[in-house]
Amino acid sequence: QVQLVESGGGLVQPGGSLRLSCAASGFTFSSYAMMWYRHAPGKERELVATITSSGSTYYVDSAKGRFTISRDNAKKTVYLQMNGLKPDDTAVYYCNTHFYNLTPSRRIWGQGTQVTVSS
């Protein structure tokens, strides 16, 4: 069964940095794109970053120039390096996989990791 375990969140001041990690299992990690989403209260869940199986990356406009997504296929882990954090980045961050695009109704989510940007 698929498992996604996010970690690395916390409380940080505006302008600070965090590195999020997501350990994945239960599917062929190296074959699928990985993604980071975030969900803030009162807002829709938002796709923040994607990294394809070949290493191409994509970002939501608000994250460009500040966030970097990367992956380590040997460790089956995807990372999100977040620099220059802003209060609007406050949200629960979740990873997910393109694997579920094959069966969208079966998509599962991990526990997420809370990122709070506040002075």
Side-chain angles (χ1 to χ4, degrees), residues 55-76:
S56 298
T57 58
Y58 305 89
Y59 302 93
V60 67
D61 285 347
S62 62
K64 290 179 180 177
R66 301 188 298 123
F67 292 6
T68 303
I69 188 171
S70 61
R71 66 191 297 158
D72 185 332
N73 288 338
K75 296 181 178 179
K76 296 191 287 186

Side-chain angles (χ1 to χ4, degrees), residues 40-85:
K43 299 181 179 179
E44 295 182 355
R45 182 168 48 227
E46 178 183 39
L47 176 61
V48 177
T50 300
I51 184 165
T52 71
S53 60
S54 61
S56 298
T57 58
Y58 305 89
Y59 302 93
V60 67
D61 285 347
S62 62
K64 290 179 180 177
R66 301 188 298 123
F67 292 6
T68 303
I69 188 171
S70 61
R71 66 191 297 158
D72 185 332
N73 288 338
K75 296 181 178 179
K76 296 191 287 186
T77 300
V78 62
Y79 305 94
L80 185 68
Q81 178 67 45
M82 305 187 296
N83 300 324
L85 284 163

Side-chain angles (χ1 to χ4, degrees), residues 13-16 62 66-67 83-90 116-118:
Q13 294 182 353
S62 62
R66 301 188 298 123
F67 292 6
N83 300 324
L85 284 163
K86 304 175 180 179
D88 283 350
D89 295 320
T90 296
T116 302
V117 184
S118 176

Side-chain angles (χ1 to χ4, degrees), residues 1 7 9 15-16 20 30 33-34 36 49 54 56 71 74-75 84 89-90 97-98 100 106 119:
Q1 57 183 353
S7 62
L20 308 184
S30 62
M34 296 295 295
W36 282 99
S54 61
S56 298
R71 66 191 297 158
K75 296 181 178 179
D89 295 320
T90 296
T97 172
H98 204 75
Y100 281 113
R106 296 186 178 182
S119 59

Side-chain angles (χ1 to χ4, degrees), residues 1-4 24-35 37 50-53 71 95-109:
Q1 57 183 353
V2 173
Q3 285 192 293
L4 302 167
S25 62
F27 63 99
T28 306
F29 180 86
S30 62
S31 296
Y32 295 96
M34 296 295 295
M35 302 163 287
Y37 290 81
T50 300
I51 184 165
T52 71
S53 60
R71 66 191 297 158
C95 68
N96 217 276
T97 172
H98 204 75
F99 170 87
Y100 281 113
N101 287 35
L102 302 174
T103 53
S105 64
R106 296 186 178 182
R107 184 178 301 279
I108 60 94
W109 300 89

